[in-house]
Amino acid sequence: MRLELKGLTKRFGSFTADDDIDLVVEPGQIHAILGENGAGKSTLMNMLYGILQPTSGEILIDGEPVSFSGPGDAIAAGIGMVHQHFKLVGPFSVADNVQLGREHTRGAGVLSARAARQAVLDVSEQYGLRLDPDAICEDLPVGVQQRVEIVKALSGPETQLLILDEPTAVLTPAEIAELLQIMRNLAEAGTSILFISHKLKEVQAVADRVTVIRRGKVVAQLEPTASESEMASAMVGRAVSLRVDKTPAEPGEPRLEVKDLTVVSDAGVKVLDGLELTVRSGEIVGLAGVEGNGQTELARAILGLVKPDSGSIAVDGRDVHGRGPAKRIADGLGYIPEDRGRDGLVSEFSVAENLVLNQYRDEPFAKGGVVDAGAVRRRAVDSIAEFDIRTQSPEESASALSGGNQQKVIIAREFSRPRRFLVAAQPTRGVDVGASQFIHSRLVAERDTGTGILLISSELDEIYALADRIAVIYNGRIVGEVDPDTPREVIGRLMVGGSADAGPGPATDPDHPANDEHANGGDR
Amino acid sequence: MAVDTAPAPALVDDRAPARHVKAGAAYAVLGLLLVLAAVAWLGGRTTTIAFDRTLTDASWEAPTFGVVLGLGVLCAAAGAWMLVGLPQRRFKPASAVAVTAFALALLFWAYSQEGTVFRAESILAGALFLSMPYIFGALSGVVCERSGVINIGIEAQFLMGAFTGVLTANITGNIYAGMAAAMVAGSLSTMLLALLATKYQVNQVVVGVILNLLALGFTSFMYDQLKKADGFNDAFSVPVISWGPLADIPVLGPVLFQQKLFVYVGLLLVFVIWFLLYRTRWGLRTRAVGEHPAAADSMGVNVNRLRYWNVTAAGLIAGFGGAWFTLGNSLAFNKNMTAGLGFVALAVMIVGRWNPLGVLAGALIFGFTTQIARDLSAAGSGVPGEFLQMLPYAVTLVVVAGLIGKAKAPAADGVPYNPGDK
């Protein structure tokens, strides 16, 4: 399918999300759309998929203008979409998710389970996407769920264009490599692919053509051979340094000592299993690992949200046993949670209120139990300026901010009071290039003041950019502590439970550059 | 719901096994209490069981002491076994044995008083009939909530159906016209809910509460007005449908083949709605819209339109259930005659885990205990009437705590949907 967009524009009131977008996707081409959060990528895709209607401009498929009043029309026209937030009904089987909206029936609306299973098997065989049609989706690993989404998108009547909206955001390095290979295979078979991303390495690895969007406008058309800094500059609109400048660490006394920490989950599984870890002042320790190996529980145990079953945690030389989160925060513990929507912000509160969530009870923000709105506002004005938080006003609700700016609110809140130790979990997840550069440099500056920092990240690039020492977590244990100049393959092997010595590690494949160089792509 | 990719937080204090230890201990204690009670009070008593409709001459006498003692030991043993390490997958059957043994023991005990006879056929037939309002109400709730709209206005639909049914039957002189009108009245009530919930996205719980109060006020007012004239609120009775020779089979005959239309419609609806929900395109889409509307929307399903019509249709079922109160019982309408059963129907829906077959089981338990309570108070057992009226709810608590456990509602239940939401 040849897709052409001519002067596509979408306005919401006075705000122009997309302005006069021109774009051509040739048959069998992988066309990457690069742009920061809020640049208008998702709005563009939603117009293409019939969820939103353009204000002006037109969409042409094989030269014919089309108009979609809903996703059903787009599907009928041969467009399939894999959404950034999966659209899978958790308790449904794979077959039911795939047939939803275009059910296989035996007439009179009665479902044919056999035909639905067979349809899934056919598509998965045709494209080499292994799936069990009877598996329940919510029980599947994220990577397999995405495969379900792809099969679903390919199961349209005649899907010839696939839209992938930030498909790698939730995947492990091995799953990313697999996805990129699937994309190549699909394109070879003639399917056109629109690949939306802000991960430059993935774009370089897989795209045939790159269009960069900034503030709703096409600002550049690039070849995938363009350098990362070229792409990043086009996205951000100014020169971006992709390296974090930092001096060698000067570690001092221990600020976090975790000894023999064990946490058992509801289901009776040891999510942390005798974990040992020390972080000293003035150093950043990067905790690398595939998600779901105990990182979440470790961060929550340090803050006091999870009660350890055995072992001890000492922050700044003091055993924190029996101290609740509020006391630990008062003692100088900073916490950047991995899920900012759930644990980091009260989204209906204003930016100003969110900025003092950890100290609203203290002078000068409260006097005699009454919050001093003036002091809160003054702090907000200062933080907004210092941390470059893009908001209409301090009174705007946090939910109105883009992901990157929400994260800046959390960073500003944690950095605006003295602290001894900081847990930073996925500090740049879903944050665009410009903002993650900023966050990285603040973390390094913070380290230089003597704070000990535990950086938990599923992005190996981020760990390499910031860490002074790398600890690898697997199955709730630290399986290795290495220097930051350790090659990727070694850490990759440790992350999946292999040894640091050379050997057939499951996640590395030398024939596959995507695996060890591109697939871990962070935000740089 | 959206498939949650974040690992669940580990809450150490809230482990699953602890609950079963508590349940095991509870069964053991209850079983021992039964044994003690049997020893203390039940020596020499007998429980009489009669098939009062088909085999009117026959009756059986069982020694109450022995039966209660045996059931008590069984209940205590099941509990003790759970405590000392029965494999987890056998907890459910063990619980079922303990709860059933306990309930049966109570039944034998209750019918051991002088002059009480357990009239098996009348009681079971009555129980099935009494479970009907729960079935209609809960099925209506299942259709609404599986689509993602909370309907706590079942009571309102009952009242509207009960009132409109008897009024229309009076005006037309046709009981079936009354039933049809009851369905329409229930549907108009849910249509208002559907409109406010989908188009205007009003809080559905608030709408439900308002609907209940509105229906109560409206029907009470109309009742007072119509009382002044004759011929608007007279009782109509529904014929009992007897299936010829089938009706003479012991137990089964009176229970299944000698009932009113309401019973057959109710039982049929349970299976029809189960089939529609789990085996048809409509059901797949309905469940998708209740779990993850954005997923359904992205596949071209019009979420709010489906919700609107489903909720409107669900009102037909609840309205028919309303007609049970008046036409089904051969009664005239009376103020607040549904007496909160619409809320009990909601509980039945939850006990039944939003599944029509579960609803049937839950409704039967409620119907049975209600019937027992009525029968015992009519027979003049020593237990006070108010205490007996508590029985269905006490049994529910035991069943919910012991057998059902945590029920999971459809993920998008009560959440309004805007196209374009994530």
Side-chain angles (χ1 to χ4, degrees), chain A residues 49 103 109 111 145 266 309, chain B residues 3 15 279 281 285 298:
Chain A
Y49 195 61
E103 295 80 0
L111 297 174
Q145 287 182 4
D266 298 5
D309 287 58
Chain B
V3 175
R15 298 235 183 95
R279 291 288 183 273
R281 172 168 52 204
R285 292 183 175 189
S298 77

Side-chain angles (χ1 to χ4, degrees), chain A residues 93-114:
Chain A
S93 70
V94 169
D96 281 347
N97 264 300
V98 171
Q99 72 167 333
L100 180 62
R102 43 169 183 245
E103 295 80 0
H104 298 270
T105 63
R106 291 179 292 197
V110 177
L111 297 174
S112 164
R114 185 187 295 171

Side-chain angles (χ1 to χ4, degrees), chain A residues 241-254:
Chain A
S241 149
L242 287 173
R243 294 212 171 278
V244 184
D245 295 321
K246 70 184 179 61
T247 53
E250 290 168 17
E253 79 283 359

Side-chain angles (χ1 to χ4, degrees), chain A residues 49 71 83 85-92 96 100-103 109-111 142 145 152 266 300 306-307 309, chain B residues 1 3 5 7 9-13 15 279-281 284-285 287-288 291-292 294-295 297-299 421-422:
Chain A
Y49 195 61
H83 299 262
H85 303 269
F86 291 169
K87 309 271 189 193
L88 294 177
V89 182
F92 278 18
D96 281 347
L100 180 62
R102 43 169 183 245
E103 295 80 0
V110 177
L111 297 174
V142 178
Q145 287 182 4
K152 199 169 101 179
D266 298 5
R300 293 173 73 91
V306 169
K307 209 163 70 183
D309 287 58
Chain B
M1 67 169 264
V3 175
T5 51
L11 293 173
V12 175
D13 306 347
R15 298 235 183 95
R279 291 288 183 273
T280 69
R281 172 168 52 204
L284 188 78
R285 292 183 175 189
R287 287 181 292 132
E291 284 288 338
H292 192 348
D297 189 17
S298 77
M299 298 308 287
D421 281 359
K422 298 223 163 89

Side-chain angles (χ1 to χ4, degrees), chain A residues 1 38 56 71 78 123 141 207 304 346-347 431 464:
Chain A
M1 175 192 291
S56 65
V123 174
V346 183
S347 54
V431 171
Y464 272 113

